[in-house]
Amino acid sequence: MNIDSIRNGIVIDHIQAKKGMEIYKALELGKLDCSVAIITNAKSKKMGRKDIIKIDKSIDLDMDILGYIDPNITINIIEDDKRVAKYHVELPKEIVNIIKCKNPRCITSVENELQHIFVLTDKDKKSYRCKYCETLKED
Ligand code: ZN
């Protein structure tokens, strides 16, 4: 795989420096059967330093996970060496089964089949509260 270009696949760009590995793990990219390249600390005019992930295959990405980890990233879809689409992610209004509520009295710690749902309550502070008990997500 050429590090500089991919013929068909996805480039996740403008990742906050050092967050590439977190995204790699969260999206379980290690389970793919294609090449995946993580470039860390790439120079960026806009950001100073950034991480980039290149996936040598078209796959469905979980935009909620991406937006939750880093709402500033951009996704480029590459076909035949050309960028055919570019997406911006945003903070998801609701995140399901990505984090768990820490409150021991929360119904989700008793009812195992319940989904873990957190709702965005403050976009600027990136704060999420448990949908059931309103406990604030801890960082
Ligand atoms: Zn809760």
Side-chain angles (χ1 to χ4, degrees):
M1 175 185 182
N2 188 334
I3 288 291
D4 298 321
S5 66
I6 50 176
R7 273 189 73 81
N8 294 288
I10 299 166
V11 177
I12 307 174
D13 200 359
H14 301 112
I15 303 168
Q16 191 186 321
K18 313 287 186 194
K19 284 216 167 180
M21 203 61 207
E22 187 181 341
I23 288 173
Y24 179 89
K25 284 180 189 156
L27 294 176
E28 299 186 323
L29 298 179
K31 290 185 179 169
L32 296 176
D33 57 359
C34 64
S35 309
V36 179
I38 305 180
I39 297 116
T40 57
N41 276 330
K43 279 187 184 155
S44 161
K45 279 184 191 145
K46 200 168 82 180
M47 303 167 65
R49 296 283 172 174
K50 65 176 180 179
D51 286 4
I52 305 164
I53 297 177
K54 297 185 178 186
I55 305 164
D56 205 15
K57 192 181 186 180
S58 291
I59 57 162
D60 287 326
L61 293 171
D62 190 324
M63 298 291 186
D64 283 351
I65 291 182
L66 286 169
Y68 171 66
I69 295 175
D70 186 347
N72 298 313
I73 63 180
T74 49
I75 314 236
N76 301 287
I77 309 297
I78 314 293
E79 280 175 22
D80 293 325
D81 289 325
K82 291 190 196 76
R83 183 168 78 190
V84 293
K86 181 178 180 177
Y87 302 105
H88 291 274
V89 298
E90 45 185 52
L91 271 182
K93 292 190 176 65
E94 233 179 49
I95 47 178
V96 181
N97 292 334
I98 298 176
I99 48 172
K100 289 183 176 176
C101 184
K102 295 264 167 61
N103 175 7
R105 287 189 296 275
C106 179
I107 187 161
T108 57
S109 59
V110 184
E111 303 280 337
N112 287 329
E113 66 276 16
L114 268 184
Q115 293 193 308
H116 295 266
I117 302 174
F118 277 73
V119 180
L120 182 66
T121 51
D122 188 327
K123 205 174 173 183
D124 295 327
K125 290 186 189 144
K126 204 183 165 186
S127 36
Y128 285 87
R129 282 179 189 279
C130 175
K131 190 176 179 175
Y132 307 98
C133 68
E134 300 198 340
T135 294
L136 198 62
K137 171 193 82 80
E138 296 166 35
D139 284 320

